[in-house]
Amino acid sequence: MPDYMIQGLVPAVVTPFSDKGDIMFDAFDEIIQWHLSWGATGFLVAGDNGEQWALNEDELSQAAAAAM
């Protein structure tokens, strides 16, 4: 068992896409900032809203980095 426990508000964050299927990082930042303003302590990136299938490994890494 791990020595840590995830605590606090950890929402699954929506990944916004353009009409062309590109991640809209400006909008993603706004979403992250909104959640932070409401007390989020962490984020589940591309893990619960069904968009992970649409992301390649590089895009998933970029989204995780942007959330950090």
Side-chain angles (χ1 to χ4, degrees), residues 3-47:
D3 295 347
Y4 59 89
M5 179 180 273
I6 296 174
Q7 297 179 341
L9 176 60
V10 184
V13 182
V14 174
T15 307
F17 293 97
S18 71
D19 291 340
K20 295 179 182 180
D22 299 322
I23 298 173
M24 298 168 57
F25 285 103
D26 289 345
F28 188 65
D29 183 57
E30 288 181 29
I31 292 166
I32 294 287
Q33 294 302 321
W34 182 84
H35 281 289
L36 286 171
S37 76
W38 285 95
T41 56
F43 301 99
L44 178 59
V45 177

Side-chain angles (χ1 to χ4, degrees), residues 36-60:
L36 286 171
S37 76
W38 285 95
T41 56
F43 301 99
L44 178 59
V45 177
D48 196 39
N49 292 303
E51 71 270 38
Q52 185 173 3
W53 67 269
L55 300 173
N56 63 37
E57 188 174 331
D58 185 50
E59 291 168 325
L60 183 55

